[in-house]
Amino acid sequence: MPANIIMKILITSILILNLAIHVVPQHLISSGTSAVESKPASARPTYEDYKRQRENFLQAEEYHFLGANVTLNENEQLVNKFLMRLKLEEMVKGFNDSYNFIPARHIFEVLDRFGQSKVFKVIQRLPKGGVLHAHDMALGSTDLIVNATYRENLWQKGNFGVSHGPQFKFSKEKPGKEWSLVSEIRQWMTDKVYDAKVGEIFSLYNADPLNAYKSLDDVWSKFQNLFGSLAPLITFAPVWRQYYHDSLKQFYDDHVQYLEFRGVLPDVYDLDGKIYSAEEIVQMYYEETEEFKSSHPEFIGAKFIYAPGRFATDDEFLKIIDTAKRLHKKFPTFLAGFDLVGQEDPGRSLLEFAPALLKLPASINFFFHAGETNWYGMKTDQNLIDAVLLGSKRIGHGFAVLKHPKVLKEIKRRQICIEINPISNQVLKLVQDQRNHPAALLFSDNYPVVVSSDDPSFWRSTPLSHDFYVAFTGIASAKQDLRLLKQLALNSIEYSAMNSEEKTSAKEKWSQAWHDQISALATDIVAGSV
């Protein structure tokens, strides 16, 4: 074959390979030009050339947005035009008065203002797919916890208003001389006052959060104490079942059709003194999930991630590993995988647990919390490296990921999904102004991400709508539109622990719900009733 023909084939092959690696829009490709043209150092572009280059540059950026590849049908375009008009109005107003821009403020300072946002109201109506990062004892609203205090045989030790708060316990008999029946306390406090007190102690909410919590360690201390105080109340077996079932209903009402939740498997007990085994607790979850699915056909389902504390000793961790294996054997499809929870900075690192973790069967998926920190070069942010090397399918929070460029490359190459929890990151003092959230980069360059709510009960937020709103208006570009929200919903199915058959069914259910809601929204927009 002649040398000139061989050379042409080689050049053509290289061009095709380059396009396959990094495709750019056709209008940005022309002979001898690029999105940003180069000229001799001594020459400047004309103003017309400059404007054209600038437009190409902006279009090239937008081409990489998360959701940029989503195509919208006629109704979606109508809804998108309406939604973006509302979004632009809010953002222009915020641009001129940033103090009153909701995502720029602590959620506790502006909770009552979400309901005034028309963007938020639209987001509430949209099917959001699934929540892939949440914790079993903080799923449902504090109202569900208050409801539990109306049950019989509930005792209380201690008073409201002290730093540690009262203790609760269900028992047939008086647990001790310092204990009183809650039903009797209610009589002299009144139900209204008592309910308000319970709502206060089982929430991180404070009207002056910036002064109430001086540091990350400060808020984490109260945060972790919440779980300890809540446990005897919520881990009473009948309450445990009811709380989970009612939480599923709240997620469903917020147009969340799927849930993957973490759980430490605490001591669940009953009035006869029985302490339920790990298998029995997960069985409760499974039964309640199946019952909810049967009564709510549009609901896709739920899976459980076993997530014990990261403060476990080596001996305790051996027992944890054994529990994980038993659960995996008994619930091969309902158990989504394994994680470790608790504040990362003082907790043990993934590196310390790695020898034992590597002995778990490869069929047990890892979904590690990693990089939930503001530190750089410490053991906490290096958990990100270990999460990648240990084969984690998703990474919880990943807040410090921008400080590790190689991790960024690997999560895109390996398609490791980052579970972003905007409100949690703010309440737990990683970021104050959501416009500074590192997820902005992940949204801008089509990284594998989902948005979740972590512990919505403790910050008095909805199961997902508040986090979606903050992500859409505060973290994403002002130009990112309905396609972003649709992509996030699709990602929550794609990066879930469901198998391929389950994902196919899930996408069908979500697509139908999305179609119905978009059609209803389009009708309301045309009628002027939104």
Side-chain angles (χ1 to χ4, degrees), residues 278-336:
E279 288 90 340
E280 289 174 318
I281 297 172
V282 178
Q283 183 67 33
M284 290 183 191
Y285 283 140
Y286 176 76
E287 291 171 358
E288 292 300 323
T289 300
E290 291 302 302
E291 190 281 327
F292 192 84
K293 285 169 60 179
S294 67
S295 59
H296 299 80
E298 289 184 357
F299 189 68
I300 293 166
K303 291 184 186 290
F304 175 71
I305 298 172
Y306 178 38
R310 64 189 327 119
F311 293 89
T313 64
D314 288 342
D315 288 340
E316 290 170 337
F317 198 64
L318 290 177
K319 295 178 182 178
I320 286 170
I321 291 295
D322 180 63
T323 300
K325 291 178 179 178
R326 296 196 327 264
L327 292 175
H328 178 57
K329 183 177 180 179
K330 184 173 177 59
F331 304 97
T333 57
F334 186 67
L335 182 74

Side-chain angles (χ1 to χ4, degrees), residues 33 67 120 154 210 219-220 290 292 317 412 431-432 438 462 519:
T33 63
F120 180 71
L154 178 61
L210 303 185
V219 69
W220 261 98
E290 291 302 302
F292 192 84
F317 198 64
K412 186 171 273 194
V431 63
Q432 175 56 34
T462 54
S519 297

Side-chain angles (χ1 to χ4, degrees), residues 211-504:
N211 289 313
Y213 306 114
K214 298 294 186 182
S215 70
L216 184 149
D217 292 330
D218 216 16
V219 69
W220 261 98
S221 177
K222 181 171 181 181
F223 180 52
Q224 294 188 135
N225 285 338
L226 281 177
F227 288 100
S229 301
L230 183 60
L233 176 58
I234 202 173
T235 58
F236 178 53
V239 173
W240 192 252
R241 279 185 178 272
Q242 190 68 49
Y243 179 81
Y244 176 64
H245 183 276
D246 292 346
S247 294
L248 291 182
K249 181 63 167 60
Q250 290 187 345
F251 275 71
Y252 180 80
D253 289 343
D254 198 36
H255 295 283
V256 175
Q257 293 171 275
Y258 179 73
L259 173 65
E260 287 184 11
F261 63 101
R262 271 92 164 168
V264 298
L265 299 180
D267 288 340
V268 174
Y269 69 102
D270 63 22
L271 288 178
D272 295 324
K274 175 181 177 179
I275 303 297
Y276 289 72
S277 68
E279 288 90 340
E280 289 174 318
I281 297 172
V282 178
Q283 183 67 33
M284 290 183 191
Y285 283 140
Y286 176 76
E287 291 171 358
E288 292 300 323
T289 300
E290 291 302 302
E291 190 281 327
F292 192 84
K293 285 169 60 179
S294 67
S295 59
H296 299 80
E298 289 184 357
F299 189 68
I300 293 166
K303 291 184 186 290
F304 175 71
I305 298 172
Y306 178 38
R310 64 189 327 119
F311 293 89
T313 64
D314 288 342
D315 288 340
E316 290 170 337
F317 198 64
L318 290 177
K319 295 178 182 178
I320 286 170
I321 291 295
D322 180 63
T323 300
K325 291 178 179 178
R326 296 196 327 264
L327 292 175
H328 178 57
K329 183 177 180 179
K330 184 173 177 59
F331 304 97
T333 57
F334 186 67
L335 182 74
F338 185 85
D339 186 15
L340 293 164
V341 297
Q343 188 181 1
E344 274 192 82
D345 288 340
R348 299 183 69 186
S349 67
L350 289 178
L351 177 62
E352 294 178 72
F353 293 116
L357 289 169
L358 289 168
K359 293 178 181 178
L360 279 170
S363 52
I364 296 180
N365 293 321
F366 292 149
F367 302 104
F368 290 125
H369 278 67
E372 190 182 2
T373 184
N374 276 322
W375 290 102
Y376 179 31
M378 305 291 279
K379 66 173 184 175
T380 317
D381 61 286
Q382 289 176 5
N383 279 334
L384 287 162
I385 298 169
D386 295 295
V388 169
L389 296 180
L390 288 167
S392 192
K393 300 295 183 182
R394 300 196 305 264
I395 292 175
H397 296 287
F399 191 84
V401 73
L402 302 196
K403 298 170 183 176
H404 294 271
K406 187 167 178 60
V407 171
L408 275 174
K409 290 179 182 178
E410 285 301 302
I411 64 173
K412 186 171 273 194
R413 184 179 75 84
R414 303 186 189 200
Q415 287 296 287
I416 302 171
C417 180
I418 302 291
E419 304 161 351
I420 301 166
N421 303 276
I423 293 174
S424 173
N425 296 155
Q426 184 188 62
V427 173
L428 298 180
K429 298 189 80 70
L430 289 177
V431 63
Q432 175 56 34
D433 185 331
Q434 296 285 7
R435 294 172 297 176
N436 296 326
H437 199 291
L441 175 80
L442 306 181
F443 284 175
S444 72
D445 200 23
N446 195 28
Y447 278 83
V449 297
V450 293
V451 171
S452 290
S453 51
D454 204 10
D455 301 283
S457 172
F458 292 163
W459 15 99
R460 298 186 179 180
S461 64
T462 54
L464 192 52
S465 287
H466 280 88
D467 283 277
F468 253 51
Y469 171 83
V470 167
F472 185 60
T473 59
I475 299 176
S477 166
K479 297 180 179 180
Q480 285 183 284
D481 55 17
L482 183 66
R483 293 174 297 169
L484 168 65
L485 299 176
K486 187 174 183 179
Q487 188 65 64
L488 286 171
L490 289 168
N491 280 1
S492 70
I493 296 173
E494 180 61 31
Y495 296 107
S496 73
M498 289 185 278
N499 60 38
S500 57
E501 185 178 342
E502 290 172 324
K503 287 180 181 179
T504 298

Side-chain angles (χ1 to χ4, degrees), residues 162-204:
V162 295
S163 59
H164 52 76
Q167 295 175 262
F168 296 95
K169 184 177 182 179
F170 284 93
S171 175
K172 291 179 180 178
E173 306 294 335
K174 186 173 183 176
K177 65 178 183 178
E178 296 179 354
W179 293 81
S180 301
L181 278 169
V182 168
S183 58
E184 294 177 356
I185 299 174
R186 280 184 172 281
Q187 288 180 1
W188 62 266
M189 280 189 70
T190 75
D191 287 340
K192 183 177 180 181
V193 173
Y194 191 89
D195 290 352
K197 292 293 184 181
V198 172
E200 287 176 9
I201 64 171
F202 292 125
S203 168
L204 285 175

